[in-house]
Coordinates of all heavy atoms in Angstrom, one line a residue:
Y104 N 119.2 109.5 70.7 CA 120.2 109.1 69.7 C 119.6 107.9 68.9 O 119.7 107.9 67.6 CB 121.5 108.4 70.4 CG 122.4 107.7 69.3 CD1 123.1 108.4 68.5 CD2 122.2 106.3 69.3 CE1 123.9 107.7 67.6 CE2 123.0 105.6 68.3 CZ 123.8 106.3 67.5 OH 124.5 105.7 66.5
Y105 N 118.8 107.0 69.5 CA 118.2 105.9 68.7 C 117.2 106.4 67.8 O 117.1 105.9 66.7 CB 117.7 104.8 69.7 CG 118.5 104.1 70.5 CD1 118.8 104.3 71.9 CD2 119.4 103.1 70.0 CE1 119.6 103.7 72.7 CE2 120.2 102.3 70.7 CZ 120.5 102.6 72.1 OH 121.4 102.0 72.9
R108 N 119.0 108.1 64.8 CA 119.8 107.2 64.0 C 118.9 106.1 63.3 O 119.1 105.7 62.2 CB 120.9 106.4 64.8 CG 121.8 105.5 64.1 CD 122.7 106.3 63.1 NE 123.7 105.4 62.4 CZ 123.5 104.8 61.4 NH1 122.2 104.7 60.7 NH2 124.4 104.0 60.8
Y109 N 117.8 105.8 64.1 CA 117.1 104.6 63.5 C 115.5 104.9 63.4 O 114.9 104.1 62.8 CB 117.3 103.3 64.4 CG 118.6 102.8 64.5 CD1 119.3 102.9 65.7 CD2 119.3 102.3 63.4 CE1 120.6 102.5 65.8 CE2 120.7 101.8 63.6 CZ 121.3 102.0 64.8 OH 122.6 101.4 64.9
G110 N 115.1 105.9 64.0 CA 113.6 106.1 64.0 C 112.9 105.9 65.3 O 113.5 105.4 66.2
I113 N 112.6 102.1 67.1 CA 113.8 101.7 67.9 C 113.9 102.6 69.1 O 114.3 102.1 70.2 CB 115.1 101.8 67.0 CG1 114.9 100.8 65.8 CG2 116.4 101.4 67.9 CD1 114.7 99.3 66.3
C117 N 114.1 100.7 72.7 CA 115.3 100.9 73.5 C 115.0 101.6 74.8 O 115.6 101.4 75.9 CB 116.4 101.5 72.7 SG 117.0 100.4 71.4
L400 N 122.3 95.1 77.7 CA 123.4 94.5 77.1 C 122.9 93.8 75.7 O 123.6 94.0 74.7 CB 124.1 93.6 77.9 CG 125.3 92.7 77.3 CD1 126.3 93.5 76.9 CD2 125.7 91.6 78.3
V401 N 121.9 93.1 75.8 CA 121.5 92.3 74.7 C 120.5 93.0 73.8 O 120.4 92.7 72.6 CB 120.8 90.9 75.1 CG1 121.7 90.0 75.9 CG2 119.5 91.1 75.9
G402 N 119.9 94.1 74.3 CA 118.9 94.7 73.6 C 119.3 96.2 73.0 O 118.8 96.5 71.9
A403 N 120.2 96.9 73.7 CA 120.5 98.3 73.3 C 121.9 98.5 73.0 O 122.2 99.5 72.3 CB 120.0 99.2 74.4
F404 N 122.8 97.7 73.3 CA 124.3 97.9 73.2 C 124.7 97.9 71.7 O 125.3 98.8 71.2 CB 125.1 97.0 74.0 CG 126.5 97.1 73.8 CD1 127.3 98.1 74.2 CD2 127.2 96.0 73.1 CE1 128.7 98.3 73.9 CE2 128.6 96.1 72.8 CZ 129.3 97.2 73.3
V405 N 124.3 96.8 71.1 CA 124.7 96.7 69.7 C 124.2 97.7 68.8 O 124.9 98.3 67.9 CB 124.3 95.2 69.2 CG1 124.5 95.1 67.6 CG2 125.1 94.2 69.8
P406 N 123.0 98.1 68.7 CA 122.5 99.3 68.0 C 123.2 100.6 68.2 O 123.5 101.4 67.3 CB 121.0 99.4 68.3 CG 120.6 98.1 68.7 CD 121.8 97.5 69.5
L407 N 123.6 100.8 69.4 CA 124.4 102.0 69.7 C 125.8 102.0 69.1 O 126.2 102.9 68.4 CB 124.5 102.2 71.3 CG 125.4 103.3 71.8 CD1 124.8 104.7 71.3 CD2 125.6 103.2 73.3
V408 N 126.5 100.9 69.4 CA 127.9 100.8 69.0 C 127.9 100.8 67.3 O 128.7 101.6 66.7 CB 128.6 99.6 69.4 CG1 130.0 99.4 68.8 CG2 128.7 99.6 70.9
F409 N 127.0 100.0 66.7 CA 127.1 99.9 65.2 C 126.6 101.2 64.6 O 127.1 101.6 63.6 CB 126.3 98.7 64.8 CG 126.9 97.4 64.8 CD1 127.3 96.8 66.1 CD2 127.3 96.8 63.7 CE1 128.0 95.5 66.0 CE2 128.1 95.6 63.6 CZ 128.4 95.0 64.9
G410 N 125.7 101.8 65.3 CA 125.1 103.1 64.7 C 126.3 104.2 64.8 O 126.3 105.0 63.9
L411 N 127.1 104.1 65.7 CA 128.1 105.2 65.8 C 129.3 104.8 65.0 O 130.0 105.7 64.4 CB 128.6 105.3 67.4 CG 127.8 106.1 68.3 CD1 128.3 105.9 69.7 CD2 127.6 107.5 68.0
Y412 N 129.7 103.6 64.9 CA 130.9 103.2 64.2 C 130.7 102.3 62.9 O 131.8 102.1 62.2 CB 131.7 102.3 65.1 CG 132.3 103.1 66.3 CD1 131.8 103.3 67.4 CD2 133.6 103.9 66.0 CE1 132.4 104.0 68.5 CE2 134.2 104.6 66.9 CZ 133.6 104.8 68.2 OH 134.2 105.5 69.2
W413 N 129.6 102.2 62.5 CA 129.4 101.4 61.2 C 128.3 102.1 60.3 O 127.1 102.2 60.6 CB 128.8 99.9 61.4 CG 129.0 99.1 60.1 CD1 130.0 99.0 59.3 CD2 128.0 98.1 59.7 NE1 129.7 98.2 58.3 CE2 128.5 97.5 58.5 CE3 126.8 97.7 60.3 CZ2 127.8 96.5 57.9 CZ3 126.1 96.7 59.7 CH2 126.5 96.1 58.4
K414 N 128.8 102.8 59.3 CA 127.9 103.7 58.5 C 126.8 102.9 57.8 O 125.7 103.6 57.5 CB 128.7 104.4 57.5 CG 129.7 105.5 58.2 CD 130.5 106.2 57.1 CE 131.5 107.2 57.7 NZ 132.2 108.0 56.7
R415 N 127.0 101.6 57.6 CA 125.9 100.8 56.9 C 124.8 100.3 57.8 O 123.9 99.6 57.3 CB 126.6 99.7 56.0 CG 127.6 100.2 55.0 CD 128.0 99.1 54.1 NE 126.8 98.6 53.3 CZ 127.0 97.6 52.4 NH1 128.1 97.0 52.2 NH2 125.9 97.2 51.7
A416 N 124.9 100.6 59.0 CA 123.9 100.1 60.0 C 122.6 100.7 59.6 O 122.6 101.9 59.4 CB 124.3 100.5 61.4
T417 N 121.5 100.0 59.6 CA 120.2 100.5 59.1 C 119.1 100.3 60.2 O 119.4 99.6 61.3 CB 119.7 99.8 57.8 OG1 119.5 98.5 58.2 CG2 120.8 100.0 56.7
T418 N 118.0 100.9 60.0 CA 116.8 100.6 60.9 C 116.5 99.2 60.9 O 116.3 98.6 62.0 CB 115.6 101.5 60.5 OG1 116.0 102.9 60.5 CG2 114.5 101.3 61.4
Q419 N 116.4 98.5 59.7 CA 116.1 97.2 59.7 C 117.1 96.3 60.4 O 116.8 95.4 61.2 CB 116.1 96.6 58.2 CG 115.8 95.2 58.1 CD 115.6 94.8 56.6 OE1 114.6 95.1 56.0 NE2 116.6 94.1 56.0
G420 N 118.4 96.7 60.3 CA 119.5 96.0 61.1 C 119.3 96.2 62.6 O 119.4 95.2 63.3
A421 N 118.9 97.3 63.0 CA 118.6 97.7 64.4 C 117.4 96.8 65.0 O 117.6 96.2 66.1 CB 118.4 99.1 64.7
M422 N 116.4 96.8 64.2 CA 115.3 95.9 64.6 C 115.7 94.4 64.7 O 115.2 93.8 65.7 CB 114.0 96.0 63.5 CG 113.4 97.3 63.4 SD 112.1 97.4 62.3 CE 111.3 99.0 62.6
C423 N 116.5 93.9 63.8 CA 116.9 92.5 63.8 C 117.8 92.3 65.0 O 117.7 91.3 65.8 CB 117.7 92.1 62.6 SG 116.6 92.1 61.1
A424 N 118.6 93.2 65.3 CA 119.5 93.1 66.5 C 118.8 93.1 67.7 O 119.0 92.2 68.7 CB 120.4 94.3 66.6
V425 N 117.8 93.9 68.0 CA 117.0 94.0 69.2 C 116.2 92.8 69.3 O 116.2 92.0 70.4 CB 116.1 95.2 69.3 CG1 115.1 95.1 70.4 CG2 116.8 96.4 69.3
T426 N 115.5 92.4 68.3 CA 114.7 91.1 68.3 C 115.5 89.9 68.6 O 115.1 89.0 69.4 CB 114.0 90.9 67.0 OG1 113.1 92.2 66.7 CG2 113.0 89.7 67.0
M427 N 116.6 89.6 67.8 CA 117.3 88.5 68.0 C 118.2 88.4 69.3 O 118.3 87.4 70.0 CB 118.4 88.3 66.8 CG 117.7 88.0 65.5 SD 118.9 87.8 64.1 CE 119.8 86.4 64.7
G428 N 118.6 89.6 69.7 CA 119.4 89.6 71.0 C 118.6 89.2 72.2 O 118.9 88.4 72.9
I429 N 117.4 89.9 72.3 CA 116.5 89.7 73.4 C 115.9 88.2 73.3 O 115.7 87.5 74.3 CB 115.3 90.7 73.5 CG1 116.0 92.0 73.9 CG2 114.2 90.3 74.6 CD1 115.1 93.2 74.0
A450 N 125.4 84.9 74.6 CA 124.6 84.4 73.6 C 123.7 85.4 73.0 O 123.6 85.6 71.7 CB 123.7 83.2 74.1
G451 N 123.1 86.3 73.8 CA 122.2 87.4 73.4 C 123.1 88.5 72.6 O 122.5 88.9 71.6
V452 N 124.2 88.8 73.0 CA 125.0 89.8 72.3 C 125.4 89.2 71.0 O 125.4 90.0 70.0 CB 126.3 90.1 73.2 CG1 127.2 91.0 72.4 CG2 125.9 90.9 74.5
L453 N 125.9 88.1 70.9 CA 126.3 87.5 69.7 C 125.2 87.5 68.6 O 125.3 87.7 67.4 CB 126.9 86.1 69.8 CG 128.3 86.1 70.7 CD1 128.6 84.6 70.9 CD2 129.3 86.7 69.9
A454 N 124.0 87.0 69.2 CA 122.8 87.1 68.3 C 122.4 88.4 67.8 O 122.1 88.7 66.6 CB 121.6 86.5 69.1
A455 N 122.6 89.6 68.7 CA 122.3 90.8 68.3 C 123.2 91.4 67.2 O 122.8 92.0 66.3 CB 122.3 91.7 69.6
M456 N 124.5 91.0 67.4 CA 125.5 91.4 66.3 C 125.2 90.7 65.0 O 125.2 91.4 64.0 CB 126.9 91.0 66.8 CG 127.4 91.8 68.0 SD 129.0 91.2 68.7 CE 130.0 91.5 67.3
T457 N 124.8 89.5 65.1 CA 124.4 88.8 63.8 C 123.2 89.4 63.2 O 123.2 89.6 62.0 CB 124.1 87.3 64.2 OG1 125.3 86.7 64.8 CG2 123.8 86.5 62.9
G458 N 122.3 89.8 64.0 CA 121.0 90.5 63.5 C 121.4 91.7 62.8 O 120.7 92.1 61.9
M459 N 122.2 92.5 63.5 CA 122.6 93.8 63.0 C 123.2 93.8 61.6 O 122.9 94.5 60.7 CB 123.4 94.6 64.0 CG 124.0 95.9 63.5 SD 122.8 97.1 63.0 CE 122.3 97.8 64.6
I460 N 124.3 92.9 61.6 CA 125.0 92.8 60.3 C 124.2 92.2 59.1 O 124.1 92.8 58.1 CB 126.2 91.9 60.5 CG1 127.3 92.6 61.5 CG2 127.0 91.6 59.2 CD1 128.4 91.7 61.9
A461 N 123.4 91.1 59.4 CA 122.6 90.5 58.4 C 121.4 91.5 58.0 O 121.2 91.6 56.9 CB 122.0 89.1 59.0
G462 N 120.8 92.1 59.0 CA 119.7 92.9 58.7 C 120.0 94.2 58.0 O 119.3 94.7 57.1
S463 N 121.3 94.6 58.2 CA 121.7 95.9 57.4 C 122.2 95.6 56.0 O 122.1 96.3 55.1 CB 122.9 96.5 58.2 OG 122.4 97.0 59.4
L464 N 122.8 94.3 55.8 CA 123.3 94.0 54.5 C 122.3 93.4 53.5 O 122.4 93.5 52.3 CB 124.4 93.0 54.6 CG 125.7 93.7 55.4 CD1 126.8 92.5 55.5 CD2 126.2 94.8 54.7
M465 N 121.1 92.8 54.1 CA 120.1 92.3 53.2 C 119.3 93.4 52.6 O 119.4 94.5 52.9 CB 119.1 91.4 54.1 CG 119.8 90.1 54.6 SD 118.5 89.0 55.4 CE 117.8 90.1 56.6
P466 N 118.5 93.1 51.5 CA 117.7 94.1 51.0 C 116.7 94.6 52.0 O 116.3 94.0 52.9 CB 116.9 93.2 49.8 CG 117.7 92.1 49.6 CD 118.4 91.7 50.9
Q467 N 116.6 96.0 52.0 CA 115.9 96.7 53.0 C 114.4 96.7 52.8 O 113.8 97.4 52.0 CB 116.4 98.1 53.1 CG 117.9 98.2 53.4 CD 118.3 97.6 54.7 OE1 117.9 98.1 55.8 NE2 119.0 96.5 54.8
D471 N 114.6 103.2 55.8 CA 115.2 104.1 56.9 C 114.5 105.5 56.7 O 114.8 106.1 55.7 CB 116.8 104.2 56.8 CG 117.4 104.9 57.9 OD1 116.6 105.6 58.7 OD2 118.5 104.7 58.2
H477 N 120.1 111.6 59.9 CA 121.4 111.1 59.6 C 122.5 112.1 59.1 O 123.6 112.2 59.5 CB 121.3 109.9 58.7 CG 120.8 108.6 59.2 ND1 120.6 107.4 58.4 CD2 120.0 108.5 60.3 CE1 120.0 106.6 59.2 NE2 119.5 107.1 60.3
P485 N 122.9 104.4 54.3 CA 123.4 103.1 53.9 C 123.0 102.7 52.5 O 122.0 103.2 52.1 CB 122.9 102.2 54.9 CG 121.7 102.7 55.4 CD 122.0 104.3 55.5
V486 N 123.8 101.9 51.9 CA 123.5 101.4 50.6 C 122.5 100.4 50.7 O 122.6 99.5 51.5 CB 124.7 101.0 49.9 CG1 124.4 100.3 48.4 CG2 125.8 102.1 49.7

Side-chain angles (χ1 to χ4, degrees):
Y104 169 80
Y105 292 106
R108 185 64 173 87
Y109 300 114
I113 298 299
C117 287
L400 173 64
V401 301
F404 173 71
V405 168
L407 173 64
V408 176
F409 276 73
L411 285 172
Y412 284 97
W413 193 41
K414 293 179 180 180
R415 297 192 65 181
T417 66
T418 300
Q419 178 174 287
M422 288 181 175
C423 292
V425 173
T426 304
M427 290 179 63
I429 293 180
V452 172
L453 294 175
M456 291 174 65
T457 303
M459 171 59 80
I460 295 170
S463 297
L464 296 180
M465 288 190 307
Q467 299 299 292
D471 194 337
H477 289 188
V486 178

